[in-house]
Every structure is written in C-alpha cells, then in structure tokens.
Amino acid sequence: MAIIAPSLLASNFLRLEDECKMLNHSEADWFHLDVMDGRFVPNISYGLPVIEQIRTATTKPLDVHLMIEEPEKYAEAFAKAGANILTVHVEACRNLHRNIQQIKDLGMKAGVAINPHTPIHLLVDIIEDVDLINLMSVNPGFGGQKFIPYTLKKIQQLKRLIAERGASVDIEIDGGVTIANAQEIIDAGATVLVAGNTVFKSATPIETIATLKKM
Ligand code: DX5
Ligand code: ZN
C-alpha cells in the first residue's frame, strides 16, 4: 500500500478550504505542495502565505516540493510555515549535503528531487542521509503532463541503490500518475504516489484516492 499525496496544484484555489476538508476526509496520507519560482521552472505557483493557511486546515503531513533556486534561503521559513517534509532539487543545490542537514536540523524530513534527465547515480553519496527521493516522472513546472515511461527503470535502479546501502528511503513518483499506471509504478518499487489532476479533476476525488490507496 503506497502513501498517497494529492498535489494541490490541481485544486480549485477559490475553494481551497473545501479542497483541504475533502482531503482530510479521504484516505490521502500527505498534502503535496508544489512551490515554483519562475526561475528553476518556467512557472510560478504559490508560496509561504498559502502554505501557512493550509497548515491551519489539516493535521496531515505537508510534503513541500520546492522547485526553486537557492532553496537554502527559504528552508527555515518553510519550517515555520509548517512543512513536515521539505524536498529540494539536486539540480538547484550547489551544496546538497549541507542543504539536507539544514532541513533535518530544522526538524523536517529531508527529500531530494531529480528531474527526468538526471541519473540515479548522482544520489549515491547522499542516499543514506535522506528520508525521501522524489523521482520526477514529468519535467517539473506543470501539472497534467504525461508520465515518462523510463521512470519505471529509474525506480528499479533507485530501489537497488537503497537496498545495497540498507537505507530506509521513500521513493516518491511525481507527475502523470493515473489510475491506469499507478499499479505498475507501485510494482516497480514506488512507496509514495503524487497525484494532481487524477485526484482533483476526478468527479469523485475521495473515491479516486481510495482506489489509489487500495493498489
Ligand atoms: C509538477 C509537480 C507535480 C504536479 C503533478 O511540476 O511537481 O507535483 O502537481 O501533477 P499531475 O499529477 O497532474 O501530473
Ligand atoms: Zn511535486
């Protein structure tokens, strides 16, 4: 059974409180929050003030995915805003090891995300230090894109690396997850599924989450 982390990027921001309540009543495990700065990715989403308010609307863990340059400048602010898991991109960090320690020192779980073009072997020297690896299965920046099939091979490579080191690390798949492909993603070794459009554009989001949860 995977951890299900709906991405609020696909939610209705005019009805954000209702969307949070819906997730609270569902089997969703985490809230996945996508922060974009218009520099690391070609899009801008939402940031600290929105996350602070979402914090007051749920007790479920906030899984904050930073698609921003210089994430170390903002880690403390995201901790104060209520993030439980803070994920930074390999491609955005010059001192990744230091950034991971900073996130942990701030009392959060540390995640590292990699883009579709970034090989798994770049993670070999930090895999024992992190709680989660976010394997991007689309190019970051937008919801509603198509799952890149090669990600399935990367899940297996990552699973092998984690096992070799005897580490305990969640494998999160982010982008293009649907009811149709979720099972093979879990079978390949994913432990966390992010789903934006699949959940929020569904006619029955609570049931869709339950279906993902059952897989
Ligand atoms: C993309 C984000 C994803 C996105 C997923 O840059 O990191 O979390 O919201 O959306 P879907 O599930 O619609 O592909
Ligand atoms: Zn994300």
Side-chain angles (χ1 to χ4, degrees):
M1 220 193 261
I3 291 168
I4 307 301
S7 165
L8 281 99
L9 190 63
S11 72
N12 181 341
F13 295 138
L14 285 178
R15 298 178 50 248
L16 197 49
E17 190 178 10
D18 293 338
E19 302 280 47
C20 291
K21 282 185 185 154
M22 180 278 288
L23 291 183
N24 286 340
H25 292 134
S26 77
E27 290 177 63
D29 298 283
W30 299 349
F31 283 34
H32 184 83
L33 303 174
D34 289 305
V35 178
M36 305 178 186
D37 66 353
R39 290 176 66 216
F40 180 70
V41 287
N43 196 11
I44 297 174
S45 56
Y46 53 78
L48 289 159
V50 174
I51 292 177
E52 273 166 26
Q53 298 210 356
I54 292 174
R55 180 70 288 171
T56 68
T58 189
T59 55
K60 295 194 184 192
L62 301 185
D63 170 33
V64 177
H65 177 192
L66 296 183
M67 285 162 275
I68 67 173
E69 301 280 0
E70 300 182 290
E72 66 280 3
K73 286 191 180 167
Y74 303 97
E76 191 175 349
F78 281 102
K80 288 204 178 111
N84 301 94
I85 304 150
L86 196 65
T87 296
V88 295
H89 267 263
V90 159
E91 303 86 358
C93 293
R94 286 215 186 107
N95 296 285
L96 182 60
H97 185 269
R98 179 187 290 149
N99 298 351
I100 292 166
Q101 299 311 323
Q102 177 198 28
I103 292 168
K104 291 198 204 166
D105 289 346
L106 288 165
M108 298 177 284
K109 288 195 169 180
V112 167
I114 64 169
N115 282 339
H117 73 273
T118 301
I120 294 294
H121 68 74
L122 286 188
L123 301 171
V124 296
D125 292 333
I126 52 95
I127 196 69
E128 286 160 65
D129 298 308
V130 295
D131 299 292
L132 172 146
I133 298 291
N134 174 326
L135 288 188
M136 290 302 305
S137 38
V138 299
N139 286 293
F142 303 92
Q145 303 179 78
K146 211 169 159 286
F147 181 83
I148 298 171
Y150 188 72
T151 313
L152 294 171
K153 291 214 177 72
K154 291 177 82 175
I155 298 173
Q156 289 161 0
Q157 291 168 13
L158 178 57
K159 203 181 154 187
R160 228 174 292 134
L161 173 65
I162 293 168
E164 270 166 30
R165 301 299 177 86
S168 156
V169 181
D170 272 310
I171 301 178
E172 177 174 65
I173 300 304
D174 190 4
V177 173
T178 65
I179 297 290
N181 65 18
Q183 189 63 60
E184 64 175 337
I185 294 170
I186 293 170
D187 290 346
T191 60
V192 185
L193 297 184
V194 175
N197 280 265
T198 292
V199 167
F200 287 99
K201 304 293 185 248
S202 156
T204 51
I206 290 192
E207 283 169 33
T208 299
I209 293 166
T211 304
L212 290 170
K213 191 69 199 168
K214 268 192 215 91
M215 290 185 180

